[in-house]
Amino acid sequence: MNNEVYGSSAKVVLSVNNVRKKIARKWIIDDVSFDVREGEIFGFLGPNGAGKTTTIRMLVDLIRPSAGTITVCGYNVNRHPEKALQYVGSIVENPEVYTYLTGWENLQHFARMQPGVDEARIAEVVDIVRLDQRIHDKVRTYSLGMRQRLGIAQALLGRPRLLILDEPTNGLDPKGIKELREFIRKLADEGLAVFVSSHLLSEIQLLCDRVAIISKGRVLAVGGVDELVSRNAPYVLWELEPFEKGKNLLAARPEINITEPAEVTLDDTVIAGMGINSVITIMEDGLVPEIVAMLVAAGMEVRGVHKINPTLEQLFLKLTEGETIE
C-alpha cells in the first residue's frame, strides 16, 4: 500500500458530503460522507442491499441525492455534471460491450462519443489493460476477466482522474481476481484515484488503501484498512496439555482474555486445524514469550502457539452486530 501517495496531503478527487437519498418515503442512503484521493484505492464495503450501487449511481449523476453534495475535482456533480463527469470513468454493474465486435471496434465505438480520443489513445489504453494480444478478436471469445479489462479500457479512454468500479471481481476465478488486483494497483500507483465497491471482505482487505464500511444506507467507519483492522486485538491460539490446567493458568493472568470459538470470527482453515485442547485468547502478542515460559515452568506441555491477525471481517461483524457478508 502506498501510504505516501494516499496520505492526507494527497489531492482530494472525489468528495461526498452528508449525502442522503429518499425513495418512497424511505431513506435508502442516510448521511454518507467520505473523500477519495489521487493515487489511492478506496474500498466501499457492504453486503448486498447496503446501498452501494445507489450511492454509485449518485456519484455518476444517474440519480440525484435528496440532500448533500458530491464533487469531482471541485465540480458539483449535480450542478455541473458535464464538467465533473469529464474526470470520471466508471463501470456500474457490468461492462457494456458488443460481443459481435472485436475489442478494438468496441473501443472505437466508445471513442467516438468522447472528444479528443484518437486511435493513439485507444492503443494506449489497450496496452495499459494488457489486451494487445487479443484486441482484434471478437469479444464473444473473451473470458470474463478479459471483458472486465476491456470495460476498464473503455472507462480510461477519456483520461479520467477517478475510476469507479462496481463489484469488479464478480464472477472472476482466483487467477482473474489476482490479475485484476495487480492491474488496479498499477493504475493507482500512476496517480489515478480508484473507487471500488465490493461485498467481498477479503478482496477489500487485500486491494484497498482506505475503506468506508456501509450497512443499511449508513457509513459506519472510514479509514485506512490497517488502521481499522488494528482496532481489534489479535487472537492467540494455544494448544496445551493438560488442557484444563493450562486454561486455568491463562485465565489467571489479568492481561489475557479467554474467549469461546462461537464468539469469534476465524478463518475456516484455522477452525479446521484446531485441536480439542485449544484455547483462544485475546492478548498482546508481545506477551507470548513470557506466557510460554510461565506455562513451561508450571509443567505444561505447549504443543502450539498461533497468532491470528485481526481481519476486516471481525471489525465488520462488530460494527454491524453480526450482519453477514462474504
Side-chain angles (χ1 to χ4, degrees), residues 37-302:
R37 303 170 186 140
E38 63 183 4
E40 77 169 339
I41 303 173
F42 185 91
F44 199 47
L45 173 67
N48 292 327
K52 300 190 302 298
T53 298
T54 299
T55 301
I56 289 175
R57 288 180 175 276
M58 290 190 286
L59 299 184
V60 296
D61 200 38
L62 290 176
I63 58 175
R64 296 206 161 200
S66 304
T69 59
I70 300 168
T71 60
V72 177
C73 295
Y75 292 103
N76 187 299
V77 169
N78 302 130
R79 293 179 184 173
H80 308 287
E82 290 186 2
K83 289 182 178 179
L85 297 180
Q86 68 178 324
Y87 295 107
V88 179
S90 65
I91 302 177
V92 181
E93 296 173 343
N94 297 314
E96 296 294 333
V97 292
Y98 299 99
T99 58
Y100 59 88
L101 299 177
T102 68
W104 185 271
E105 289 167 342
N106 267 276
L107 294 178
Q108 284 181 316
H109 171 75
F110 290 109
R112 295 186 194 106
M113 303 178 190
Q114 302 183 55
V117 179
D118 54 17
E119 298 271 309
R121 178 57 181 170
I122 295 175
E124 189 177 354
V125 297
V126 168
D127 184 61
I128 289 171
V129 301
R130 301 196 295 271
L131 272 179
D132 49 298
Q133 299 296 316
R134 297 289 305 279
I135 196 62
H136 295 292
D137 294 344
K138 299 288 187 184
V139 172
R140 64 171 172 262
T141 68
Y142 285 12
S143 68
L144 187 59
M146 291 171 63
R147 292 189 192 195
Q148 192 72 280
R149 279 188 279 155
L150 181 63
I152 293 174
Q154 171 196 326
L156 294 175
L157 283 171
R159 299 177 177 84
R161 298 276 301 281
L162 170 68
L163 178 63
I164 297 174
L165 302 175
D166 187 13
E167 302 281 2
T169 59
N170 267 3
L172 297 183
D173 60 21
K175 182 174 181 289
I177 290 173
K178 182 175 182 294
E179 290 176 350
L180 186 67
R181 188 191 308 138
E182 293 170 349
F183 165 63
I184 292 173
R185 170 54 59 193
K186 180 175 180 289
L187 293 177
D189 287 345
E190 293 171 356
L192 190 65
V194 184
F195 177 96
V196 179
S197 162
S198 181
H199 65 285
L200 299 175
L201 282 152
S202 58
E203 278 310 307
I204 289 291
Q205 187 160 357
L206 286 170
L207 175 64
C208 297
D209 303 310
R210 291 193 306 126
V211 63
I213 297 175
I214 184 172
S215 176
K216 298 176 183 176
R218 295 183 64 89
V219 168
L220 305 180
V222 181
V225 171
D226 292 341
E227 168 201 341
L228 292 177
V229 166
S230 68
R231 293 183 184 181
N232 289 330
Y235 295 122
V236 178
L237 179 66
W238 300 83
E239 295 181 27
L240 305 172
E241 185 66 39
F243 172 70
E244 288 298 335
K245 179 182 176 182
K247 185 175 181 180
N248 291 335
L249 287 168
L250 292 175
R253 297 289 296 238
E255 63 270 63
I256 298 176
N257 292 317
I258 293 178
T259 186
E260 298 301 320
E263 298 174 358
V264 300
T265 304
L266 297 176
D267 187 273
D268 288 343
T269 57
V270 173
I271 295 172
M274 287 175 57
I276 57 172
N277 292 341
S278 295
V279 184
I280 302 172
T281 62
I282 300 174
M283 58 181 287
E284 294 299 326
D285 58 341
L287 282 172
V288 169
E290 177 187 338
I291 301 303
V292 169
M294 180 269 291
L295 291 169
V296 171
M300 292 296 306
E301 183 180 342
V302 181

